[in-house]
Amino acid sequence: MAALLSMENVTGGYGDADILHSVSMSVEDKEIVVIVGPNGAGKSTAMKAVFGLLNVRGGRTVFDGDDITGWSPNRIVQRGICYVPQVDNIFREMSIHENLEMGAFLKKGDLSAAYDRVYELFPDLKERRKTMAGSLSGGQRQMVAMGRALMLDPKLLLLDEPTAGLSPKYMEQIFQISRDVRDTGVAILLVEQHAKQALAFADRGYVLAAGQNRHEGTGADLLADREIAEMFLGG
Ligand SMILES: Nc1ncnc2c1ncn2[C@@H]1O[C@H](COP(=O)(O)OP(=O)(O)O)[C@@H](O)[C@H]1O
Ligand SMILES: [Mg+2]
């Protein structure tokens, strides 16, 4: 069976210079895949390439049977991929509920099933749904951002460093919620600085460095590799 997402030898960058050099990765249905690697490796850029935010000069990206290379982010969203950037991913001046509503702006008709689904995944948000998003803790804000993305019922969720700046307790909570999300049938591709914890939690991982693939494998295999641990995971 073909992968849900397949990025094949993608080369590209923001302007004329290439940041990604023939990067390949895939995500299967209902799989959690993590991208790790040093700062500036091109992790966020790889995610932006999937979401149509890069000048792609080589290779292609196939999603759910469609070649989406060169598609606009808007069209990609409608096709079933939602993206949560690392920063500025919520509307601070709006309530939690309004944030979710904004997430569903492309959706026509009754949103009650979408709200129910998100509030079931994030009971904390339901309790506080009238609270202004800007007044929430970092972990709760991340939940709002994820919930907003899930309003469109994507098949694939892209998360850029969802646990950045969070306490270990919130990090574990975000990972647990990600598993719950996956169990509802959504595949997840995420970037993580907390490489060891993320590899322990993900099904598979990719190590990127200098805009290129370095290693790939199951999270457990990557964690067990001494050389990878020393080079990329802080020993
Ligand atoms: N908007 C941008 N315009 C130009 N260069 C960028 C932009 N964003 C990132 N870069 C460059 O691309 C490279 C990879 O960055 P990034 O993908 O953000 O790395 P990572 O997420 O792995 O830390 C870096 O050299 C960075 O300076
Ligand atoms: Mg990044």
Side-chain angles (χ1 to χ4, degrees):
M1 208 186 71
L4 176 66
L5 177 79
S6 168
M7 198 177 174
E8 300 164 7
N9 303 112
V10 167
T11 293
Y14 299 94
D16 292 335
D18 288 332
I19 303 284
L20 302 181
H21 307 279
S22 197
V23 169
S24 298
M25 48 183 116
S26 66
V27 181
E28 306 284 333
D29 256 335
K30 297 178 201 171
E31 196 179 31
I32 299 179
V33 176
V34 65
I35 308 172
V36 301
N39 249 330
K43 304 181 297 295
S44 297
T45 303
M47 212 164 246
K48 288 180 198 166
V50 172
F51 201 63
L53 294 168
L54 213 67
N55 298 327
V56 171
R57 278 179 280 271
R60 62 174 198 158
T61 303
V62 178
F63 175 68
D64 200 18
D66 278 344
D67 185 339
I68 61 167
T69 320
W71 285 25
S72 69
N74 193 31
R75 192 168 169 212
I76 291 172
V77 165
Q78 304 211 38
R79 187 64 186 76
I81 302 180
C82 285
Y83 166 59
V84 180
Q86 188 183 338
V87 291
D88 295 332
N89 55 19
I90 57 161
F91 298 99
R92 291 165 164 269
E93 309 296 319
M94 292 186 186
S95 71
I96 290 175
H97 199 78
E98 287 163 340
N99 266 273
L100 299 186
E101 191 180 347
M102 292 300 285
F105 74 104
L106 287 167
K107 210 165 176 159
K108 296 182 181 75
D110 187 12
L111 294 180
S112 53
Y115 287 122
D116 287 350
R117 184 165 163 268
V118 169
Y119 284 138
E120 200 173 309
L121 284 164
F122 303 95
D124 287 4
L125 299 188
K126 184 174 190 177
E127 256 169 52
R128 296 182 174 81
R129 64 187 174 280
K130 295 201 175 109
T131 304
M132 211 57 82
S135 71
L136 299 171
S137 71
Q140 291 165 339
R141 269 185 261 160
Q142 192 58 42
M143 292 179 200
V144 174
M146 286 171 71
R148 203 185 74 205
L150 290 168
M151 285 297 286
L152 287 172
D153 204 7
K155 281 191 179 158
L156 174 66
L157 187 60
L158 307 175
L159 303 174
D160 196 347
E161 298 205 25
T163 71
L166 301 187
S167 67
K169 176 174 153 263
Y170 260 123
M171 178 175 70
E172 284 307 324
Q173 199 176 347
I174 294 290
F175 286 165
Q176 184 53 52
I177 288 168
S178 299
R179 284 191 203 97
D180 295 343
V181 168
R182 184 265 300 281
D183 292 343
T184 70
V186 183
I188 298 177
L189 176 64
L190 78 162
V191 170
E192 263 297 338
Q193 266 317 318
H194 301 107
K196 282 186 173 171
Q197 293 91 335
L199 286 169
F201 133 83
D203 298 312
R204 269 186 326 113
Y206 290 88
V207 180
L208 289 191
Q212 291 177 298
N213 287 82
R214 278 300 165 85
H215 301 280
E216 63 183 89
T218 64
D221 284 349
L222 292 174
L223 274 177
D225 189 307
R226 284 275 294 279
E227 192 193 318
I228 296 174
E230 275 170 25
M231 292 279 292
F232 301 107
L233 308 178

